[in-house]
Amino acid sequence: MGAGVAAALLCLGAAWLLGAGVGPRGWMVRPSARSRLLSVAELARFRGAAGEPGLYLAVLGRVFDVERGRRHYGPGGAYSGLAGRDATRAFATGDFTQAGLVDDVSALSSGEMLAIQSWLTFYSDNYDPVELFAFLAWKHCSLIDPPLPGKLVGRFYDENGAPTEALRQAEAAIEEALKFQAESEQRKQQFPPCNSEWSSAKGSRFWCSRQSGGAPRAWAGVPRKLYSPGASSSRCVCVRTTGPPWGQPASVQHNNRGDLDDPHLQEYDGCHPQAQQCVLTV
């Protein structure tokens, strides 16, 4: 009972402090979450050293309280260089030198942008936004919408907390990378890589199974050379030989040849078109 009363008093106090107000017919109005704006100089004070106010880091301009990870991010920790700054680029490159601990993400590859997105998700899921009181009010009292993390005024947010062109470009690059990743995964399901081996005595052997390419499936397929648009080289993939083409419903009339007629495929010379194994001698 005492704990319940204390929680209720805490929530009432939080409502008053957050300006939510108590209505005559219910609990409260849910105000929009607000995020704190920090300058580069202010963020630099949050490196977790004795006498400093806390332990923060930023990713793409979004600031997180990483106090619970002090052994990693605090002074002497393996990732202490990330604290008190936006070192987004280092999350992708692994370069923890002073030259690498920067927020410039221009010219990064799709894979590196995906790494940044993964880290941003990690911090959002595992660390509190810097507005801790608002976070507790949301978590325990349901007073406000989930609070946004703080924002670092600089490359990614302007002095009003609005996204900059640099942030829009970074987010667009991440979206493009996610789209490419999804398409690549779909392509892998359609055309799983072959198993392969090579020896100086026997040459190259390619074969397909229901597990080849790390893509478990109900069919084995046959080896084919797959040419990506614009590419001059090919790679060996396993191709389904029965049923409708990929993405086409079985109810639609088809030739029962699976994906054998895909225009980007080519048979291996000297191998039977329906063989699950192909050996190319030197």
Side-chain angles (χ1 to χ4, degrees):
M1 182 67 178
V5 171
L9 291 174
L10 171 65
C11 291
L12 283 170
W16 180 77
L17 288 171
L18 290 170
V22 179
R25 294 185 56 189
W27 234 142
M28 37 202 75
V29 180
R30 296 164 65 88
S32 299
R34 297 180 182 273
S35 55
R36 175 181 175 184
L37 299 179
L38 293 92
S39 68
V40 171
E42 288 172 330
L43 181 59
R45 296 176 55 234
F46 289 81
R47 298 191 178 184
E52 292 186 342
L55 185 58
Y56 295 173
L57 62 73
V59 183
L60 284 182
R62 296 173 61 182
V63 186
F64 298 93
D65 184 337
V66 293
E67 180 63 41
R68 70 180 62 174
R70 172 169 285 274
R71 67 189 182 96
H72 302 296
Y73 305 105
Y79 302 108
S80 59
L82 300 173
R85 69 175 85 200
D86 187 330
T88 300
R89 191 178 187 87
F91 286 99
T93 64
D95 181 359
F96 294 103
T97 66
Q98 289 303 308
L101 291 168
V102 295
D103 59 0
D104 182 7
V105 298
S106 60
L108 291 182
S109 68
S110 294
E112 289 170 328
M113 294 306 293
L114 286 178
I116 291 172
Q117 189 269 343
S118 178
W119 278 108
L120 189 57
T121 298
F122 170 79
Y123 286 111
S124 297
D125 290 345
N126 293 280
Y127 288 93
D128 298 339
V130 298
E131 294 287 30
L132 182 58
F133 185 80
F135 174 81
L136 293 175
W138 161 69
K139 184 174 182 180
H140 298 294
C141 308
S142 299
L143 300 183
I144 61 173
D145 294 325
L148 299 172
K151 296 176 182 177
L152 178 64
V153 176
R155 183 181 296 274
F156 300 114
Y157 292 97
D158 65 20
E159 62 276 6
N160 297 313
T164 64
E165 181 61 25
L167 180 59
R168 286 189 285 270
Q169 291 179 1
E171 290 177 337
I174 289 174
E175 286 299 318
E176 188 65 25
L178 288 170
K179 179 181 177 181
F180 179 78
Q181 183 184 54
E183 291 173 349
S184 297
E185 184 59 33
Q186 177 179 311
R187 199 70 165 167
K188 181 179 177 181
Q189 294 299 317
Q190 181 182 6
F191 295 127
C194 304
N195 294 316
S196 63
E197 63 180 10
W198 178 89
S199 72
S200 58
K202 298 181 179 180
S204 299
R205 181 169 78 100
F206 305 103
W207 74 99
C208 294
S209 70
R210 294 186 178 187
Q211 300 288 330
S212 55
R217 54 195 184 275
W219 50 273
V222 296
R224 289 289 190 275
K225 289 187 285 187
L226 175 66
Y227 289 88
S228 298
S232 58
S233 60
S234 65
R235 58 188 177 90
C236 184
V237 298
C238 296
V239 180
R240 191 165 46 86
T241 61
T242 61
W246 179 269
Q248 180 175 308
S251 58
V252 176
Q253 185 175 358
H254 56 82
N255 295 325
N256 196 34
R257 285 175 50 83
D259 293 308
L260 289 173
D261 297 322
D262 188 286
H264 299 110
L265 297 173
Q266 183 177 321
E267 295 180 8
Y268 282 96
D269 293 335
C271 296
H272 191 282
Q274 293 294 325
Q276 292 183 0
Q277 173 177 279
C278 181
V279 178
L280 304 178
T281 58
V282 290

